[in-house]
Amino acid sequence: MIFPKEDKMQGQALKRREVIRRGLAMLVFSPWLGGSPWLEKPRLSEGLSFSGAKPLYLNQNESPYGLPPRACQAAIEALSQAHLYPHEHYVELKEKIAARERVKTEQVILGAGSTEIMTMAINSFGKKGEVVMAAPTYFDFEYYASLAGCRMKKARLDKNYRHDLERLSAAVTSRTSLIYICNPHNPTGTVVGGQELKLFCQKVLAKYSPLILIDEAYYDYVDDFSYESMISLIREGYHVLVIRTFSKIYGLAGMRVGYGLASSETIKTLEKVSTNFASIAYPSLKAALVALEESNFLQQVKEANARGRKFVTKSLAEQGYFVLPSQTNFVLFEIEGEAKQWAQHLEKLGVYIRDFQFNNQNWLRVTLGRQEEIEIFLNRLKQVKSSYLKLNRLI
Ligand SMILES: Cc1ncc(COP(=O)(O)O)c(C=O)c1O
């Protein structure tokens, strides 16, 4: 087995009363209720029983392969120094990222996940004018932009469920202060080619001066040869901010580390709305520093993910679903009937996925778990489909 075993907590069943107490506390005090739908589903701790079986969380695009063992070890060791503020390690991580991406250290900003940098961009640029984005787009971006009171303009995806760069261009005006593009796109998993996207940015920036935020959260999973990072535009001096995260292929979602790259002036502007040096814990920084070096581990995760993606895409297509070609660690497919109902039914069977509705179509998005998890999901999906068909007297 190339990957570390899952959390040691797994399998330690909690006592029944404790389960009920925690469950009630969750319902009463849960910050998730009414909060970001990213976390809308109450997360039962590992080991809590769900109709006798462990629930399967395939709803947040987390890596099922965990973090690199050396990164985990580094985080544990860092605890003995956790009484010290982490300033110097912030600098160390920034330097390492800068060297890797061939930019200056002052062109790097760190955040507690890329979400924090996204919100900095919303608060410092988005609020000044209008925000242009795709519809649908990564839900949290839209959520934080609406929380900040931003005026939003949305452009539908193209017929292949990719960003429609022409529609996006048409939506941009002199009032546009922020454009958000996640490439690969969430929730569809599709990508737009590097050349197309570069041209889009160059054309828009030749005419107007918004900040173009390119979210590359799923960058590391992409196989498509036409795909490119937009960091090259930053090196060339364009008004572009690229955000990346350690939450996906690096397996550090719970550690909360992300970064952004832009011109040093843009980084300074972002820092005005950030709590510089205050949001990432020392063990998280240490884990990220080590994880960056674990290229073998990352390659293995990438390959395992690609195998899972191929298997899920093929299996779903064989079951008759319309499946979008994904370049990420999740797959989106269309279903008949109400996506919410399917998702709720799957939850009852212990499988958490995400439901979407757009273009008058209903969709389910499943995170690529390990092979055995994927198989459980596919089985449960068959059950849900047959009850749906029976309910609607289609069989
Ligand atoms: C497109 C996209 N951007 C950003 C994020 C947030 O990642 P982080 O954990 O770095 O805040 C996610 C998380 O799912 C995502 O899907």
Side-chain angles (χ1 to χ4, degrees):
M1 183 66 86
I2 52 170
F3 301 115
K5 276 252 175 276
E6 279 171 35
D7 198 315
K8 289 204 186 80
M9 287 297 289
Q10 194 175 330
Q12 285 180 12
L14 286 163
K15 293 217 173 73
R16 204 181 154 75
R17 216 179 299 142
E18 176 65 356
V19 171
I20 294 167
R21 192 188 66 74
R22 288 195 190 182
L24 282 175
M26 228 178 259
L27 280 176
V28 177
F29 300 114
S30 176
W32 304 314
L33 300 177
S36 163
W38 188 53
L39 291 171
E40 76 195 351
K41 313 256 163 62
R43 297 284 310 253
L44 303 179
S45 306
E46 292 279 12
L48 282 182
S49 78
F50 192 102
S51 320
K54 191 164 82 74
L56 194 51
Y57 292 107
L58 301 177
N59 57 343
Q60 295 197 127
N61 305 339
E62 294 147 330
S63 172
Y65 306 110
L67 61 162
R70 279 192 56 234
C72 184
Q73 193 55 36
I76 293 167
E77 282 166 18
L79 287 175
S80 67
Q81 297 298 307
H83 57 294
L84 302 174
Y85 282 112
H87 296 197
E88 66 182 277
H89 303 287
Y90 256 81
V91 178
E92 199 185 340
L93 183 56
K94 277 190 196 182
E95 282 172 352
K96 198 159 194 168
I97 291 167
R100 205 175 121 109
E101 303 302 344
R102 292 180 287 120
V103 296
K104 295 193 200 119
T105 308
E106 56 269 29
Q107 290 184 269
V108 182
I109 189 162
L110 302 180
S114 53
T115 303
E116 191 180 21
I117 302 159
M118 190 185 284
T119 57
M120 290 176 203
I122 289 169
N123 289 320
S124 48
F125 290 91
K127 280 193 338 196
K128 281 198 283 201
E130 280 175 1
V131 181
V132 169
M133 67 185 86
T137 193
Y138 174 47
F139 194 92
D140 265 25
F141 177 83
E142 191 175 340
Y143 173 74
Y144 287 116
S146 71
L147 262 195
C150 294
R151 275 169 287 139
M152 292 182 257
K153 264 176 116 176
K154 298 178 193 171
R156 280 182 60 165
L157 300 177
D158 70 11
K159 63 178 186 343
N160 296 317
Y161 302 91
R162 302 173 337 143
H163 274 101
D164 188 326
L165 298 177
E166 268 181 37
R167 272 205 193 108
L168 282 163
S169 288
V172 179
T173 67
S174 55
R175 292 186 300 278
T176 309
S177 54
L178 183 64
I179 301 175
Y180 175 73
I181 292 181
C182 56
N183 194 37
H185 181 256
N186 186 358
T188 62
T190 60
V191 290
V192 282
Q195 287 310 315
E196 295 171 73
L197 188 53
K198 252 187 205 167
L199 211 62
F200 162 85
C201 295
Q202 286 164 336
K203 276 192 179 162
V204 165
L205 294 174
K207 207 164 164 197
Y208 303 111
S209 49
L211 175 67
I212 306 184
L213 167 50
I214 309 285
D215 184 343
E216 297 183 353
Y218 299 95
Y219 167 83
D220 303 277
Y221 293 107
V222 178
D223 288 330
D224 187 322
F225 290 116
S226 75
Y227 179 79
E228 258 179 81
S229 167
M230 289 300 114
I231 296 176
S232 57
L233 286 182
I234 297 168
R235 289 189 212 108
E236 290 168 38
Y238 286 95
H239 195 29
V240 168
L241 165 66
V242 168
I243 57 174
R244 295 258 185 95
T245 181
F246 283 90
S247 299
K248 305 299 169 186
I249 204 160
Y250 293 92
L252 295 178
M255 292 294 219
R256 312 307 302 130
V257 194
Y259 59 95
L261 307 171
S263 68
S264 35
E265 298 76 55
T266 304
I267 297 294
K268 274 192 203 121
T269 311
L270 295 175
E271 280 171 352
K272 286 188 189 143
V273 292
S274 76
T275 50
N276 208 6
F277 292 113
S279 63
I280 313 178
Y282 174 53
S284 302
L285 289 167
K286 281 305 258 189
L289 273 161
V290 171
L292 273 179
E293 284 170 359
E294 295 300 288
S295 47
N296 281 344
F297 179 89
L298 300 174
Q299 187 55 31
Q300 285 175 346
V301 175
K302 182 175 179 175
E303 285 166 14
N305 181 73
R307 282 194 298 275
R309 190 164 66 195
K310 203 168 160 196
F311 177 71
V312 169
T313 307
K314 188 166 167 275
S315 308
L316 289 171
E318 280 168 4
Q319 288 182 32
Y321 295 102
F322 172 56
V323 192
L324 294 188
S326 170
Q327 286 292 310
T328 61
N329 69 341
F330 57 84
V331 168
L332 188 77
F333 58 102
E334 191 189 2
I335 49 121
E336 264 181 62
E338 280 257 338
K340 204 160 233 36
Q341 271 178 18
W342 281 58
Q344 281 166 354
H345 198 153
L346 274 164
E347 269 176 37
K348 285 192 188 131
L349 298 175
V351 177
Y352 287 74
I353 44 87
R354 285 287 307 269
D355 56 279
F356 293 89
Q357 263 192 320
F358 58 86
N359 286 13
N360 293 322
Q361 289 164 291
N362 282 268
W363 305 87
L364 295 180
R365 190 196 69 190
V366 60
T367 302
L368 297 166
R370 289 169 183 256
Q371 182 64 22
E372 56 274 26
E373 296 174 323
I374 291 173
E375 281 166 18
I376 294 173
F377 155 72
L378 289 168
N379 260 321
R380 302 283 195 274
L381 186 72
K382 270 189 195 149
Q383 280 174 256
V384 171
K385 185 176 181 179
S386 78
S387 2
Y388 170 80
L389 293 178
K390 268 188 205 137
L391 204 67
N392 291 283
R393 296 188 201 293
L394 297 172
I395 53 172

